Amino acid sequence: MKSLHAVFLVAAGVALGTAFPVPRPKPVDAPGPAGGKSAKTFRAASRIPDSIRREINSIRAIKDREGRMRETMRLASTLPIADLQRWYEGNYLEFLDSDTEGLFYMIVEERWMAADPATFARYKIDSKQSNPDPALAAWLKADEAAAMTYINSLDPAHRQNLALSLTRVISKTDLPRALELLDEVLASKSSDTYRARELLGSFATQDREAVLAHIKDWKGSDREWAVKAVGNAWLEKDFAWTVGFLQAEGKGAGTIKDLFNQDGWGKPAKLLTANASSLPDGWMDELAASGSLDIGCGDEWMAMRGPVPGISAEALAKIQLDAAAGGFWDNEKLESGKRFVEEGDWLPLATRAKLAAAILNTWRDGLPAAEAWVASLDEEVRGEAEAKLAEMRKKKTNADIKPLVDRPGEFIKALTADSARNLSDGLAAWSAPQVAEAVAAAKTLDSARAAEILEKGSPDYLRLPPAVKASLAQAAGEDWSGPQAMKGYCQIVSQWAEQDPAAAAKWVEALPAGEQRDWAAKNVVLRWSSYSPAAAKAWEAKLAPSH
């Protein structure tokens, strides 16, 4: 077998690809160690060059999203090649929506990679960014000798970290060489071993026979995971071949379960149902007994109006009870569950009753609709659902408070920790008088209730105008404290300062002196200085210190 160094000298001309880098920056989180990452991020915010600031402000001034997107595309397409790296690293456009920002970086990356693949690839490699494959492929295609000389000059640890990317690139044109390099990665026992195993599966979809020939002499645990990698790659492509392959390897239903556990359960459950009659005797019952099937298959099973081929009546009942215990976490399962309760007269009454109660655990349509649905059920299956309804009457859900959205004061007073977690984006469109009404109502809430709304809704995801969230924090007072509250204050003012820095600054000024106020102030300055550094600096200078 060739050494890792030798395999790195492989030819690898492949087509260019596209990556989507750079997540949106987060607000400065508090607290952090002195001089740590948060403080560094805060200090760097005001060092944006004037020429770049002008470009940012011209985009920020455009009111409609489509216009901002067009201007962003123009900027990305016309920046001088020499400036691409500065913009690529800068996160200057973090104020844009994620789609527009992602489009900017996609265009910049494609231009940089096409104009100067060597510099772009070296940057991706040296900064150890995720997914260097497209950059590496472009450089190898443009100047293979230079690329390989550079890669082989890296220190052994860095070169080893790059091995998996190189393996993927090489596999596009030379699978046998890629398999040899994969062996080297596996032999190194590096942290990439798990991803190397996944890669073997992708190679199996590319050339199954070549992979089977490569692993034919593998033994023990290596053989075990290799069989699963191949099986997982071909399960959906050729179910019958995969089952035969597993049986030839001495595997049973448990291996099918292991393969499905790698993928989640929506697609696998349907795949099993579609192929139930072709599985060896007992496999479906074994899978059902182990909790490996769920009600995601409900539409197919309802259509059969009775026992599913390959699954006994007892196993089918257990699947439904497992679903009841786990709840219904998506609309497809919820609707399937409702159909079983309403029409599944071949199922035991106890199973249908438990399903009815479980459906109410994740009911999304409000209390009146829930009451009407339970009333429509057969009397024999209502018992547990009636008990659940009694619990629901004690608390309001998101659907119950939604009709109040045009009456902000009433809406806020009806808000609970449970309903706060799933609020609609439309609330952010309240007019200024409506926001003021909501702010006034928020200040009247009991401190414990306001704190619970902020804790369970999370300020970063709670879809209320920032001024309203700030009033909730004010109402919560000392009932909302600790690290999570500190972080929450930063998130609130960061969002608020993005929309109205002067209002956010005024609110921060009124906070009690202390670390919470200091970190909130830093977030206001961070956002404000990105487009009006003079105003941000002036406000920061006049803000009285907390100590």
Side-chain angles (χ1 to χ4, degrees):
M1 183 176 292
K2 294 179 174 60
S3 68
L4 178 60
H5 182 86
V7 177
F8 264 119
L9 299 176
V10 167
V14 297
L16 293 178
T18 300
F20 293 82
V22 189
R24 291 177 66 81
K26 298 179 180 178
V28 179
D29 287 341
K37 185 175 180 181
S38 293
K40 181 178 179 182
T41 302
F42 167 66
R43 287 195 300 272
S46 61
R47 297 205 297 265
I48 301 175
D50 289 341
S51 60
I52 292 178
R53 194 186 310 281
R54 285 193 293 271
E55 294 280 11
I56 292 172
N57 286 342
S58 69
I59 296 175
R60 189 189 290 272
I62 300 172
K63 300 300 183 183
D64 64 291
R65 180 176 179 271
E66 187 175 329
R68 287 193 299 273
M69 182 173 285
R70 280 197 301 268
E71 182 61 17
T72 301
M73 290 174 64
R74 182 205 62 77
L75 176 64
S77 302
T78 57
L79 283 172
I81 297 297
D83 289 347
L84 293 183
Q85 182 168 343
R86 172 187 285 183
W87 279 86
Y88 188 84
E89 294 178 309
N91 289 344
Y92 300 134
L93 301 179
E94 52 84 24
F95 65 87
L96 294 170
D97 62 88
S98 58
D99 288 343
T100 305
E101 186 185 9
L103 182 63
F104 172 84
Y105 287 109
M106 181 188 75
I107 296 171
V108 167
E109 180 165 305
E110 287 284 4
R111 289 185 63 214
W112 189 6
M113 188 160 53
D116 190 357
T119 302
F120 181 63
R122 282 197 299 269
Y123 167 75
K124 295 281 278 189
I125 292 168
D126 293 346
S127 58
K128 298 182 180 178
Q129 290 197 3
S130 60
N131 191 27
D133 299 20
L136 186 58
W139 194 12
L140 287 165
K141 184 176 183 180
D143 190 342
E144 178 189 326
M148 300 316 302
T149 298
Y150 181 76
I151 291 170
N152 283 306
S153 72
L154 300 172
D155 65 81
H158 196 169
R159 193 165 64 246
Q160 182 63 58
N161 288 336
L162 197 61
L164 209 58
S165 289
L166 192 61
T167 303
R168 283 192 294 265
V169 171
I170 291 171
S171 72
K172 307 297 183 184
T173 55
D174 194 340
L175 184 59
R177 295 275 193 165
L179 287 167
E180 290 180 12
L181 182 52
L182 190 65
D183 287 344
E184 296 280 351
V185 175
L186 293 168
S188 72
K189 306 296 183 185
S190 71
S191 59
D192 275 338
T193 299
Y194 178 77
R195 289 193 294 153
R197 293 178 177 183
E198 289 184 325
L199 197 54
L200 184 71
S202 72
F203 290 171
T205 63
Q206 185 176 335
D207 190 335
R208 186 177 72 193
E209 297 310 314
V211 171
L212 291 177
H214 188 76
I215 67 171
K216 66 182 177 63
D217 295 325
W218 289 17
K219 307 292 184 186
S221 61
D222 285 342
R223 180 74 184 180
E224 186 78 15
W225 71 254
V227 166
K228 289 181 179 178
V230 175
N232 191 56
W234 277 87
L235 194 62
E236 191 173 4
K237 287 177 171 292
D238 192 334
F239 190 90
W241 179 89
T242 304
V243 170
F245 170 64
L246 295 177
Q247 284 186 295
E249 292 287 335
K251 308 300 180 187
T255 302
I256 287 279
K257 175 186 176 183
D258 291 343
L259 298 185
F260 283 165
N261 280 342
Q262 299 176 39
D263 266 343
W265 277 104
K267 178 176 68 179
K270 294 180 181 299
L271 188 60
L272 272 177
T273 298
N275 292 277
S277 59
S278 64
L279 284 171
D281 291 342
W283 277 33
M284 287 296 277
D285 274 6
E286 185 179 336
L287 289 168
S290 66
S292 300
L293 302 177
D294 66 20
I295 203 169
C297 306
D299 289 340
E300 289 86 348
W301 292 348
M302 280 302 305
M304 295 175 185
R305 296 291 304 171
V308 180
I311 309 180
S312 66
E314 293 77 11
L316 185 58
K318 184 182 185 306
I319 293 167
Q320 313 314 313
L321 296 180
D322 286 344
F328 297 89
W329 42 265
D330 65 26
N331 287 331
E332 181 183 10
K333 290 182 182 295
L334 187 65
E335 291 305 313
S336 294
K338 286 169 68 176
R339 291 182 65 198
F340 272 110
V341 174
E342 296 161 0
E343 305 170 29
D345 49 14
W346 75 90
L347 288 171
L349 289 174
T351 299
R352 293 169 66 195
K354 287 183 180 298
L355 282 172
I359 285 167
L360 294 180
N361 278 330
T362 44
W363 189 264
R364 297 172 175 83
D365 298 327
L367 183 60
E371 291 174 328
W373 181 69
V374 172
S376 72
L377 300 177
D378 294 340
E379 186 174 351
E380 295 86 348
V381 300
R382 289 184 204 161
E384 293 186 43
E386 289 285 4
K388 192 65 188 176
L389 277 179
E391 294 178 20
M392 292 174 65
R393 291 185 183 108
K394 295 178 182 178
K395 60 182 181 182
K396 291 186 179 294
T397 67
N398 181 247
D400 296 320
I401 68 169
K402 192 173 182 180
L404 302 175
V405 71
D406 292 327
R407 302 195 296 278
E410 294 178 52
F411 182 92
I412 294 298
K413 290 178 181 178
L415 193 63
T416 67
D418 291 309
S419 59
R421 285 178 289 189
N422 297 299
L423 292 178
S424 161
D425 281 321
L427 302 182
W430 275 339
S431 66
Q434 286 178 313
V435 171
E437 182 183 341
V439 164
K443 292 177 180 177
T444 68
L445 294 186
D446 173 79
S447 61
R449 181 172 156 211
E452 188 180 18
I453 290 171
L454 289 167
E455 285 287 344
K456 291 193 176 181
S458 175
D460 201 25
Y461 298 102
L462 187 58
R463 292 183 175 90
L464 288 169
V468 179
K469 288 190 277 191
S471 295
L472 285 172
Q474 184 177 338
E478 294 183 0
D479 281 345
W480 193 42
S481 59
Q484 283 302 109
M486 182 82 76
K487 183 176 181 179
Y489 268 85
C490 292
Q491 291 167 338
I492 290 170
V493 297
S494 180
Q495 183 189 26
W496 199 357
E498 183 67 37
Q499 300 173 9
D500 188 347
K506 185 176 180 181
W507 184 75
V508 170
E509 290 171 6
L511 291 176
E515 193 176 20
Q516 197 160 272
R517 178 175 180 259
D518 291 344
W519 278 98
K522 287 180 180 181
N523 274 272
V524 171
V525 174
L526 174 66
R527 295 296 181 186
W528 204 349
S529 63
S530 68
Y531 55 94
S532 185
K537 188 174 181 179
W539 177 76
E540 185 181 22
K542 76 173 185 178
L543 185 67
S546 292
H547 48 77

